[in-house]
Amino acid sequence: MDHPLPGTANRRSFLTLVGLGAVAAASGGALAGCTEKAADTGTAAEVDKLTAVLPKFKPLDLVQPDIKGISPVANGFTKYPANLVDAITDKPGRGSTITTMTPYWGTVPAGPGQNAYVDAINAELGAVVTPGIQDGNTYADKLNTIMGARDIPDVLCIPSWEIPKIPNFSEAAKALFEDLTDHLSGDKALPYAMLANLPTVAWSNAVWNQRLMGVPWPTDGPYPWALFYRKDLTDAIGASVPKTADELYAFGKAVTNADKGVWAFNDIQAMVEMIFRVPGAKEGWRSKDGKVTFKLETEEFKAALEFLVKVFKDGLVHPEIIATKGADAKLLFNGGKIVMVQDGVGAWLGVQAEQQKVTPGFNMQPVPFFAADGGKPLVHGSGDPIFYTFIKKGLGKDKTEEILRVLNFLAAPLGTKEFELIEYGVEGKHFAKGADGWPAGNDLLGKEKADQFRFLAGTAPTIKFDARVPTYVNDLINWENASVQHIEVDPWRGIKLEMPASYVKVKQPTEDKIKDIIRGRRPLSDLDVVLKEWRDGGGEDGRAFMAKALSDAGR
């Protein structure tokens, strides 16, 4: 599966991808093309009851945000901190060589001794971190190879969307990774002030086998998807932003002009499901009135499916999207061939910044969340981490603690000298500060930085000013804040699930069959057939598993 990352990425970029808890939950098949594996019967661990193994949260009050996010929305910073804090005065390293493995979606730079960015950070760490950067597109294959051979580096980064594809991950974690509970639980985390600054909800997801097994990389936004529209184009023709399903369809009819090569949409299935209040928790499950149901079984899904069939049938989706799996919706949207696109929230900044240079007046905006009937929307969302970082088992107490000190350094938040070094490199060599005070990276930073340190440890979530789109921070956080109250309640919140193998096996074929119905290759009436095949093929196993997980948790 491809996870394209532009240049130097931040966590917000990953909301254009999949996995990451929230994204997978609302993806409506965003994991298509990837093969998941799971334990035969599945496992469920109620991490909410494991507070004794979690680090004690101690927030750092280093710099005040310019715009406050309503939790779980991140805070925003429009001004660069004038006085940076030297948060870590003692070098965390003891001269060790520390091998790592992280994914990257771009050109792999040189390593220590040939990379000024890496060397500068290693000098501050007092250790030689040797980055092992792997192609993000084939990262799952590499993970399976090294974990199967039990040949892992000292520090291993695993994206959250890859974990469900690793057979019996909880057992693999026990065998391969250091148990961090005795190092970080409770007050033991306080010497690692940057790690103690990470949200508890992120740490709670890093528990396997009732033990703290990894360091989380927190997400900075709860929403996986948005409907973006070309405001510059809709303003020109007087098209209004939709607030109901009927208005969304009318919008599609109004802006589609096949003779001019313009269509309304790409594949908007995930957003349409949300608009029709289809359940999104744990990829589409709901518990209501004591009954556990999957989205395919709900009236809401049937209504969403009928709407999607109509949208495709009436020619409102770009034909390249229908004809191929590889059509570049971003390219079509950027070129004005699609007027409204479903995309990850993280697409907003990068697309706007680049396309405004190509198309004067280019204006990409998100549609406020709405419900099909114009009532209270149901918004899919989650605070699940994006990455997890694991330490190799058996390195010994001294080296394990040295690595934790290194990760603590890398987790330093905005407002610290450490953050500036990790994010931007060395001033005068990798970046210069602009008139607005914010660092601006140069070509050398782009050449030498592949987030080889950033992907090892996340920071307290923040949204940073970007001079290319000066209004972005305010626009994004205000848009996100407006819908926090509508985020779907996940009945399985705080329960870590490894789904039964039979359920995982039936998932992708079912999604493919639904796609066939949406695109008119199968009749709408086939939903009943698809549903029966899903139930018989493993869906009922999934239901029993999900119901038991709730029952065992006393819910």
Side-chain angles (χ1 to χ4, degrees):
M1 182 194 320
D2 291 340
H3 295 285
L5 266 176
T8 54
N10 58 29
R11 66 162 61 77
R12 176 66 51 173
S13 304
F14 289 94
L15 299 184
T16 68
L17 310 180
V18 296
L20 19 171
V23 177
S27 64
L31 291 176
C34 293
T35 301
E36 294 188 34
K37 300 177 181 177
D40 289 341
T41 57
T43 61
E46 191 176 0
V47 297
D48 275 2
K49 292 185 177 179
L50 299 176
T51 54
V53 309
L54 300 178
K56 181 177 182 179
F57 177 60
K58 186 176 182 181
L60 292 174
D61 188 20
L62 299 178
V63 58
Q64 292 301 310
D66 300 304
I67 178 170
K68 184 74 173 176
I70 301 172
S71 181
V73 175
N75 292 326
F77 292 84
T78 58
K79 298 184 291 292
Y80 194 68
N83 299 305
L84 299 182
V85 176
D86 191 1
I88 300 174
T89 54
D90 296 329
K91 292 186 185 300
R94 297 294 181 266
S96 298
T97 295
I98 300 171
T99 58
T100 71
M101 181 172 136
T102 56
Y104 193 64
W105 294 262
T107 303
V108 175
Q114 298 176 299
N115 186 315
Y117 170 78
V118 171
D119 292 345
I121 294 173
N122 279 341
E124 291 298 315
L125 292 175
V128 180
V129 173
T130 304
I133 304 170
Q134 301 294 325
D135 183 355
N137 296 320
T138 56
Y139 203 66
D141 295 336
K142 184 66 176 180
L143 284 171
N144 281 323
T145 298
I146 66 169
M147 292 179 69
R150 299 194 172 211
D151 182 19
I152 65 172
D154 299 330
V155 184
L156 177 63
C157 166
I158 303 183
S160 60
W161 61 85
E162 302 291 7
I163 286 177
K165 294 179 265 176
I166 298 173
N168 300 318
F169 182 81
S170 57
E171 293 303 311
K174 184 189 299 184
L176 298 176
F177 306 138
E178 187 68 26
D179 183 342
L180 302 180
T181 309
D182 293 338
H183 297 279
L184 294 175
S185 62
D187 289 342
K188 294 173 184 175
L190 297 183
Y192 307 98
M194 312 302 150
L195 297 180
N197 186 44
L198 300 181
T200 299
V201 67
W203 283 109
S204 70
N205 282 277
V207 174
W208 282 270
N209 306 305
Q210 301 184 4
R211 304 292 288 177
L212 184 67
M213 300 302 296
V215 176
W217 203 84
T219 181
D220 64 2
Y223 310 124
W225 298 108
L227 277 178
F228 290 104
Y229 69 104
R230 285 285 303 273
K231 190 174 187 300
D232 52 315
L233 300 181
T234 58
D235 283 354
I237 62 174
S240 299
V241 174
K243 297 180 180 179
T244 67
D246 288 344
E247 290 180 8
L248 180 61
Y249 179 81
F251 174 92
K253 292 289 286 185
V255 303
T256 297
N257 189 331
D259 291 339
K260 293 185 177 180
V262 177
W263 284 265
F265 308 120
N266 69 330
D267 184 343
I268 56 173
Q269 180 182 347
M271 282 301 304
V272 168
E273 289 185 17
M274 195 186 306
I275 288 165
F276 278 84
R277 301 191 183 96
V278 174
K282 301 296 183 286
E283 299 189 337
W285 289 94
R286 178 167 69 192
S287 177
K288 187 176 182 180
D289 300 327
K291 184 178 181 181
V292 173
T293 54
F294 188 57
K295 67 180 183 179
L296 300 185
E297 304 170 296
T298 67
E299 290 301 314
E300 292 90 342
F301 182 82
K302 184 176 181 181
L305 189 61
E306 290 173 349
F307 181 86
L308 285 164
V309 168
K310 182 179 180 181
V311 164
F312 275 78
K313 181 181 178 182
D314 291 354
L316 307 185
V317 177
H318 197 288
E320 289 185 22
I321 300 294
I322 300 172
T324 68
K325 291 184 177 181
D328 192 333
K330 280 188 176 66
L331 186 63
L332 296 170
F333 178 75
N334 296 346
K337 303 301 182 182
I338 290 177
V339 180
M340 182 175 284
V341 66
Q342 172 187 293
D343 207 340
V345 177
W348 190 1
L349 176 62
V351 171
Q352 178 63 42
E354 292 304 314
Q355 293 306 309
Q356 66 190 12
K357 296 186 295 186
V358 177
T359 305
F362 184 95
N363 191 354
M364 176 181 184
Q365 293 293 323
V367 177
F369 291 111
F370 63 91
D373 58 6
K376 181 180 177 181
L378 178 75
V379 180
H380 298 163
S382 172
D384 292 353
I386 293 172
F387 288 151
Y388 296 96
T389 295
F390 301 95
I391 298 176
K392 184 177 182 178
K393 187 174 184 176
L395 295 178
K397 182 175 183 290
D398 289 345
K399 188 164 185 179
T400 297
E401 291 181 350
E402 180 181 16
I403 291 172
L404 286 173
R405 290 192 298 270
V406 166
L407 296 179
N408 183 61
F409 181 104
L410 300 180
L414 179 68
T416 65
K417 293 180 180 179
E418 293 81 4
F419 178 92
E420 182 177 88
L421 177 63
I422 300 299
E423 196 72 13
Y424 304 109
V426 178
E427 186 171 9
K429 183 182 290 289
H430 297 103
F431 75 89
K433 290 183 178 177
D436 55 19
W438 284 88
N442 57 24
D443 290 343
L444 182 62
L445 181 66
K447 178 182 177 181
E448 295 189 333
K449 179 186 175 186
D451 287 307
Q452 55 270 67
F453 293 96
R454 175 57 66 218
F455 288 175
L456 295 176
T459 65
T462 57
I463 306 298
K464 305 190 301 297
F465 174 82
D466 192 301
R468 299 172 300 171
V469 188
T471 62
Y472 174 71
V473 174
N474 281 281
D475 289 348
L476 172 68
I477 296 178
N478 286 331
W479 175 77
E480 291 192 331
N481 279 346
S483 293
V484 166
Q485 61 181 315
H486 301 307
I487 293 177
E488 177 185 29
V489 175
D490 179 358
W492 292 269
R493 183 194 63 81
I495 303 176
K496 186 179 292 295
L497 303 169
E498 288 185 79
M499 299 300 291
S502 59
Y503 172 79
V504 173
K505 184 178 179 180
V506 79
K507 189 178 83 168
Q508 188 58 54
T510 302
E511 291 173 354
D512 291 342
K513 294 169 188 175
I514 295 298
K515 292 287 187 187
D516 285 342
I517 293 175
I518 291 171
R519 284 158 173 74
R521 295 189 287 262
R522 296 180 65 163
L524 183 60
S525 59
D526 270 9
L527 175 60
D528 291 338
V529 176
V530 173
L531 181 54
K532 184 180 187 304
E533 292 171 346
W534 172 83
R535 285 171 173 157
D536 294 345
E540 289 296 348
D541 293 340
R543 185 199 319 282
F545 173 77
M546 297 297 280
K548 186 176 186 300
L550 287 180
S551 176
D552 290 348
R555 302 183 189 179

mmCIF file of all heavy atoms in Angstrom, residues 41 82 113 242 245 253 346 452 466:
data_model
loop_
_atom_site.group_PDB
_atom_site.id
_atom_site.type_symbol
_atom_site.label_atom_id
_atom_site.label_comp_id
_atom_site.label_asym_id
_atom_site.label_seq_id
_atom_site.Cartn_x
_atom_site.Cartn_y
_atom_site.Cartn_z
ATOM 1 N N THR A 41 -8.331 -16.550 17.137
ATOM 2 C CA THR A 41 -9.527 -16.227 17.904
ATOM 3 C C THR A 41 -9.606 -14.767 18.300
ATOM 4 O O THR A 41 -10.641 -14.318 18.776
ATOM 5 C CB THR A 41 -9.572 -17.085 19.181
ATOM 6 O OG1 THR A 41 -8.375 -16.854 19.949
ATOM 7 C CG2 THR A 41 -9.656 -18.561 18.831
ATOM 8 N N ALA A 82 9.796 33.288 21.079
ATOM 9 C CA ALA A 82 10.932 34.212 20.997
ATOM 10 C C ALA A 82 12.139 33.686 21.757
ATOM 11 O O ALA A 82 13.289 33.853 21.327
ATOM 12 C CB ALA A 82 10.522 35.581 21.532
ATOM 13 N N GLY A 113 28.297 10.736 9.612
ATOM 14 C CA GLY A 113 29.582 10.997 8.981
ATOM 15 C C GLY A 113 29.477 11.591 7.596
ATOM 16 O O GLY A 113 30.450 12.164 7.088
ATOM 17 N N PRO A 242 -22.811 22.353 0.647
ATOM 18 C CA PRO A 242 -23.955 21.547 1.084
ATOM 19 C C PRO A 242 -24.032 21.395 2.597
ATOM 20 O O PRO A 242 -23.015 21.368 3.293
ATOM 21 C CB PRO A 242 -23.701 20.194 0.418
ATOM 22 C CG PRO A 242 -22.221 20.150 0.184
ATOM 23 C CD PRO A 242 -21.810 21.556 -0.083
ATOM 24 N N ALA A 245 -27.741 15.819 2.579
ATOM 25 C CA ALA A 245 -27.436 14.898 1.486
ATOM 26 C C ALA A 245 -28.055 15.383 0.182
ATOM 27 O O ALA A 245 -27.428 15.302 -0.885
ATOM 28 C CB ALA A 245 -27.936 13.499 1.825
ATOM 29 N N LYS A 253 -24.633 17.924 -9.136
ATOM 30 C CA LYS A 253 -25.270 18.189 -10.429
ATOM 31 C C LYS A 253 -24.891 19.573 -10.959
ATOM 32 O O LYS A 253 -24.660 19.754 -12.165
ATOM 33 C CB LYS A 253 -26.789 18.094 -10.283
ATOM 34 C CG LYS A 253 -27.307 16.691 -9.997
ATOM 35 C CD LYS A 253 -27.200 15.763 -11.193
ATOM 36 C CE LYS A 253 -28.243 16.083 -12.245
ATOM 37 N NZ LYS A 253 -28.227 15.108 -13.358
ATOM 38 N N GLY A 346 -4.880 16.139 6.583
ATOM 39 C CA GLY A 346 -3.518 16.615 6.395
ATOM 40 C C GLY A 346 -3.181 17.056 4.990
ATOM 41 O O GLY A 346 -2.134 17.665 4.763
ATOM 42 N N GLN A 452 14.195 10.786 10.217
ATOM 43 C CA GLN A 452 14.826 9.626 10.823
ATOM 44 C C GLN A 452 14.880 9.724 12.347
ATOM 45 O O GLN A 452 14.990 8.708 13.036
ATOM 46 C CB GLN A 452 16.228 9.394 10.242
ATOM 47 C CG GLN A 452 17.198 10.579 10.325
ATOM 48 C CD GLN A 452 17.142 11.473 9.123
ATOM 49 O OE1 GLN A 452 16.154 12.122 8.905
ATOM 50 N NE2 GLN A 452 18.223 11.515 8.345
ATOM 51 N N ASP A 466 2.571 28.182 9.218
ATOM 52 C CA ASP A 466 3.294 27.961 7.968
ATOM 53 C C ASP A 466 3.132 29.226 7.125
ATOM 54 O O ASP A 466 2.016 29.596 6.764
ATOM 55 C CB ASP A 466 2.738 26.745 7.221
ATOM 56 C CG ASP A 466 3.637 26.303 6.077
ATOM 57 O OD1 ASP A 466 3.876 27.131 5.173
ATOM 58 O OD2 ASP A 466 4.075 25.145 6.070
#
